[in-house]
Amino acid sequence: MGQIFSVVPVPENDEVEGVVCKASELADNSMKEFPLGEDGGKVLVVKQHGEIFAVGSKCTHYGAPLANGALGEGRVRCPWHGACFNIKSGDIEDFPGLDSLPCYKVEVTSDGDVKVKGKKSDLTVSKRAKQLTCRDPVNSQAIVIIGGGAAGASCVETIRQEGFTGRVVLISKEPHLPYDRPKLSKMLDVDVKKIYLRSEDFYLNNGIEILKGVEATNIDTKGKVVTLSNGESVKYSSVFIASGSRPRTMKVPGSDLNNIFTIRVPEDAKAIFSQLTPKSNVVVVGSSFIGMEAAAFCVGKVNSVVVLGRSSDPFKETLGENVGSRIRHLFENTKGVIMEMNVQVTEFGGKDGKVSSVKLNDGRTLDADVVIVGIGAIFNSEFLSQSEVETTGNGAVQTNEYLQTNVENVYAGGDIAHAPVFAIGNKKAAIGHWQIAHYHGHVAAKNMVGKKTSLRTVPFFWTMLFGMSVRYAGYGGGFDKVEVVHEDILKFVAYYLQKDEVVAIATLGKDPIAAKFAELLYEGKKLTTSDIKDNAWVTAAKA
């Protein structure tokens, strides 16, 4: 049986056409947003190598204006979260997000007018789901995905986009469809159904089976069988391990008291939010991303917020002391958060089974009605212990540049993958970023359906604190020093250097510099200390 495609009916009178500009208005290797039609829609017009293209103007992830992003070779990168789109087809090429851009027909008239033609509906929605194949019951092959996070969600869609008609099964230990997990620590009151990446009907209509509320307990790589926690099993032709991680918990006296929380699933966020009152004293243990985002959410909703950190400044291990001190200033001096740094928790006190205090290693005791713990994560790979799949000492799964493990037809991606990182010369690392997870799912899917694709992405992550976004591009693990170019304490670019080379940057209030740097690394170029004075490289780079 041939491929069967799902068809979306096109509304009548859905065509729009108009002259958006003169060709002479566009410099080569530039992009600009123009209105099209009478309903307020806009298109992004790009000129590169003498050709002119038109695609949707907003990133399909969270609607960032792409005209403010970074133009690379044949693609445009979102200024907010780093997603990339092909300027000719509109197809998404890097992530986060799942949808592509609408693509419009362009004609340059003899008078030099740039005429753009497309669908009104594309202008309204400004995103496009790529065409997926349907299930062919004659095809006995099966691809099984273990994990319902970003990597799994991206993987199942790409498998169908690439023409696979066999069985596609996603195993998720949560009772939910794949959802936007980074929202949880930033918005503890979020309704999970409002952050689903796709609807139930989407998966049903495209022949994608979602097994919710179960998890893999074993993989028999010789028999090609995944055993599930409900006693059932699923046979596979290929399997993708994207089981992610879980929060590390405290191991001190009183850790089992009520109202001590970690954040990983919607139920965690909901439980925390239900305990917040104007009289609550909230203590956050951990001064990295999860903890700081949760602390920021609590400010203004409770009596007090205290953050406990083992280092001198928040984010010190990942972003360095100079950047960390700036974030500390934001929390302490601007928002009234109490930052207790260079301390450790030795004990939790309780009353009627609930936490009531936190004892520190310096002898002090803090009042606490709610405790949020964000002290790292543990890989969910115990179910591989009886398999032949090779893991690292901390449980990450070893892969090559195609996300293949040491076992044939077994792939791994997302948080759990110890995989080559293109941006650092294919040295291996396990990176727990939302963008990386999306990308890994996409690449693994292509390789599982026989379309050999190697990893080539630049890590890009962000955090939102009090409406301000710190963006980070590259991989600075083991950086030697940090050079900060700043306009004020909360508007800066931080350069992470190994010897003389810039391996990563972090920015606050300086979009789209992080996106420009990511695109520069993607194109195989480098920055050194001589390039970064006053951010001079930015104006020299492509617009």
Side-chain angles (χ1 to χ4, degrees):
M1 183 181 289
Q3 295 178 5
I4 303 172
F5 294 93
S6 54
V7 178
V8 179
V10 179
E12 294 182 11
N13 303 317
D14 190 35
E15 195 172 273
V16 61
E17 182 178 16
V19 173
V20 297
C21 66
K22 288 283 189 181
S24 57
E25 296 178 46
L26 301 169
D28 200 39
N29 203 50
S30 70
M31 57 185 178
K32 191 174 181 181
E33 185 180 270
F34 293 99
L36 176 64
E38 299 177 352
D39 298 323
K42 294 180 180 180
V43 295
L44 182 72
V45 178
V46 183
K47 185 175 183 180
Q48 193 166 74
H49 305 308
E51 292 187 81
I52 298 176
F53 311 96
V55 293
S57 64
K58 296 179 180 179
C59 178
T60 61
H61 180 227
Y62 277 123
L66 292 174
N68 296 339
L71 180 60
E73 185 61 37
R75 64 190 208 159
V76 58
R77 184 183 289 269
C78 170
W80 291 355
H81 307 126
C84 298
F85 304 90
N86 188 289
I87 62 173
K88 295 182 180 181
S89 65
D91 287 351
I92 190 167
E93 294 185 345
D94 208 336
F95 305 84
L98 295 171
D99 289 315
S100 296
L101 296 174
C103 187
Y104 302 92
K105 294 180 180 179
V106 175
E107 176 190 353
V108 181
T109 69
S110 57
D111 294 329
D113 292 333
V114 176
K115 185 183 294 186
V116 176
K117 181 179 181 180
K119 298 177 184 177
K120 291 180 182 178
S121 54
D122 283 343
L123 283 172
T124 302
V125 178
S126 198
K127 61 176 62 177
R128 168 179 60 87
K130 293 181 70 175
Q131 204 167 44
L132 278 68
T133 60
C134 292
R135 172 79 170 97
D136 181 352
V138 175
N139 188 340
S140 62
Q141 290 183 304
I143 296 179
V144 173
I145 296 88
I146 300 172
S154 177
C155 187
V156 295
E157 278 198 43
T158 305
I159 288 167
R160 285 286 188 241
Q161 290 167 359
E162 295 297 330
F164 180 76
T165 60
R167 191 181 180 197
V168 178
V169 183
L170 185 145
I171 299 165
S172 175
K173 67 179 180 180
E174 295 187 49
H176 307 292
L177 297 175
Y179 58 87
D180 191 350
R181 193 183 304 279
K183 284 284 190 185
L184 297 183
S185 55
K186 300 175 180 70
M187 300 171 59
L188 298 174
D189 58 344
V190 69
D191 179 351
V192 64
K193 292 184 178 180
K194 293 182 179 179
I195 58 171
Y196 279 170
L197 301 179
R198 296 294 193 199
S199 68
E200 191 93 49
D201 285 346
F202 176 90
Y203 294 114
L204 287 171
N205 293 340
N206 291 292
I208 297 168
E209 301 172 50
I210 310 288
L211 305 184
K212 293 181 285 188
V214 295
E215 56 186 308
T217 57
N218 185 54
I219 296 181
D220 176 359
T221 55
K222 292 181 179 178
K224 294 187 175 181
V225 174
V226 178
T227 303
L228 305 179
S229 56
N230 62 3
E232 297 178 1
S233 60
V234 185
K235 290 189 67 67
Y236 67 83
S237 305
S238 295
V239 62
F240 178 51
I241 302 166
S243 47
S245 57
R246 62 186 183 276
R248 193 178 297 277
T249 56
M250 301 290 292
K251 303 296 183 184
V252 300
S255 296
D256 58 347
L257 288 165
N258 290 331
N259 285 13
I260 298 176
F261 303 96
T262 56
I263 306 175
R264 178 66 182 179
V265 298
E267 290 74 14
D268 296 332
K270 184 178 181 180
I272 295 170
F273 184 71
S274 71
Q275 297 301 312
L276 301 181
T277 73
K279 294 182 179 180
S280 298
N281 297 305
V282 176
V283 174
V284 177
V285 183
S287 60
S288 194
F289 297 95
I290 296 292
M292 297 298 282
E293 288 171 356
F297 176 86
C298 291
V299 169
K301 302 176 180 67
V302 297
N303 180 54
S304 67
V305 179
V306 180
V307 174
L308 308 179
R310 299 182 66 172
S311 59
S312 60
D313 291 290
F315 307 115
K316 183 177 178 180
E317 291 77 10
T318 51
L319 300 182
E321 186 174 359
N322 196 315
V323 172
S325 65
R326 294 164 186 270
I327 303 302
R328 181 174 180 174
H329 171 86
L330 169 64
F331 274 69
E332 280 187 326
N333 297 6
T334 306
K335 301 299 179 180
V337 176
I338 300 168
M339 303 291 294
E340 295 287 0
M341 309 306 292
N342 293 313
V343 297
Q344 295 182 43
V345 175
T346 59
E347 185 178 351
F348 294 108
K351 184 178 180 180
D352 299 327
K354 293 183 179 181
V355 69
S356 60
S357 63
V358 179
K359 188 173 182 179
L360 306 180
N361 61 336
D362 61 10
R364 288 181 297 154
T365 299
L366 308 176
D367 291 337
D369 303 298
V370 176
V371 173
I372 302 171
V373 178
I375 55 171
I378 300 170
F379 296 120
N380 292 322
S381 58
E382 291 87 351
F383 70 97
L384 299 173
S385 61
Q386 302 302 311
S387 76
E388 298 177 349
V389 177
E390 182 182 354
T391 59
T392 65
N394 63 357
V397 179
Q398 296 278 18
T399 81
N400 63 13
E401 67 270 31
Y402 306 106
L403 293 175
Q404 296 169 315
T405 70
N406 61 304
V407 180
E408 186 179 9
N409 296 324
V410 178
Y411 297 76
D415 295 10
I416 205 167
H418 191 242
V421 181
F422 168 79
I424 53 172
N426 285 326
K427 294 177 184 176
K428 286 189 176 184
I431 301 175
H433 297 171
W434 192 239
Q435 171 259 334
I436 288 287
H438 275 82
Y439 184 76
H440 277 184
H442 178 75
V443 169
K446 287 197 165 191
N447 285 306
M448 286 191 287
V449 300
K451 298 183 178 181
K452 198 169 185 179
T453 305
S454 60
L455 293 169
R456 186 183 174 185
T457 189
V458 177
F460 196 107
F461 73 84
W462 63 94
T463 184
M464 177 71 77
L465 304 167
F466 303 111
M468 293 182 282
S469 285
V470 177
R471 313 197 195 283
Y472 182 100
Y475 183 72
F479 59 86
D480 299 324
K481 61 178 180 178
V482 185
E483 296 284 348
V484 178
V485 179
H486 66 276
E487 294 179 23
D488 60 46
I489 195 168
L490 294 176
K491 193 171 187 179
F492 60 83
V493 180
Y495 294 91
Y496 298 85
L497 296 130
Q498 287 180 356
K499 296 182 179 179
D500 192 45
E501 183 180 337
V502 180
V503 293
I505 70 169
T507 70
L508 178 58
K510 295 293 290 183
D511 292 341
I513 291 179
K516 287 179 179 287
F517 179 73
E519 201 57 27
L520 181 143
L521 290 188
Y522 178 82
E523 293 179 357
K525 300 173 184 176
K526 295 180 179 180
L527 288 183
T528 64
T529 51
S530 61
D531 300 315
I532 65 178
K533 184 178 180 182
D534 299 324
N535 299 322
W537 70 273
V538 178
T539 55
K542 294 176 179 178

